[in-house]
Amino acid sequence: MKIINLTERPEFAEAVADWQWQAFGSENSREFFASVVKSCLTGADLPQTFIALDGDTLAGTVGLWRCDLISRQDLTPWLAALYVDDAYRSCGLGQKLQEFVLEQSRSSGFREVYLYAEFTGYYERFGWEYIGDALDYPDKPVRVYHQSLQAPVTSGR
């Protein structure tokens, strides 16, 4: 399994947009997800989309976005749109995609990363700290999580 930036294999952009729309969107939001994926292909620092490949088979995707929750624009960056294809679930790929985004964030100089979820129990297993509730547009309650990227402080002893 190999995780790379979508810019290296842009032929997967449409499939990634479809996955994101089907997993996270509403009936008429496909163009929104397609536009986010398209903006990832420009080479800008953010947003970025990463894909997991099993040979030439798309297995999963995750994003690193400037903002993923309109009501919390004060927080940045965000791990966003984590999706693993059914055939690759329960194999640890979700964790690998999270770790990849955290490492990319760290190497880009970010000190923390955020995400939100409507559920509990999954992200906590991977070191994400619940920091409070917020609203996804227009009024859907969600849980906000945080992960620090700073190295732990050690005493010199």
Side-chain angles (χ1 to χ4, degrees), residues 46-157:
L46 293 175
Q48 293 186 39
T49 295
F50 306 102
I51 57 174
L53 295 175
D54 182 9
D56 279 332
T57 302
L58 187 60
T61 185
V62 67
L64 179 62
W65 297 358
R66 186 171 320 282
C67 184
D68 190 28
L69 189 60
I70 293 171
S71 66
R72 292 305 310 263
Q73 294 185 48
D74 56 315
L75 307 175
T76 194
W78 292 74
L79 182 146
L82 173 64
Y83 181 83
V84 175
D85 185 63
D86 289 341
Y88 293 92
R89 292 190 181 166
S90 299
C91 300
L93 183 54
Q95 179 179 4
K96 288 177 183 159
L97 286 164
Q98 290 175 60
E99 291 169 352
F100 190 86
V101 164
L102 293 173
E103 186 52 42
Q104 291 294 309
S105 300
R106 189 177 289 109
S107 66
S108 294
F110 294 112
R111 300 175 83 161
E112 51 203 352
V113 178
Y114 299 89
L115 67 79
Y116 80 88
E118 296 177 38
F119 50 85
T120 183
Y122 177 73
Y123 290 106
E124 294 90 341
R125 294 186 303 183
F126 306 110
W128 293 90
E129 176 186 351
Y130 167 72
I131 59 171
D133 295 326
L135 290 176
D136 189 14
Y137 182 84
D139 59 1
K140 183 175 21 171
V142 294
R143 299 172 56 85
V144 178
Y145 293 87
H146 165 267
Q147 193 158 137
S148 175
L149 300 177
Q150 297 177 352
V153 176
T154 58
S155 66
R157 298 179 182 186

Side-chain angles (χ1 to χ4, degrees), residues 31-42:
E31 286 308 309
F32 166 78
F33 289 99
S35 70
V36 172
V37 170
K38 182 179 177 183
S39 67
C40 293
L41 297 175
T42 66

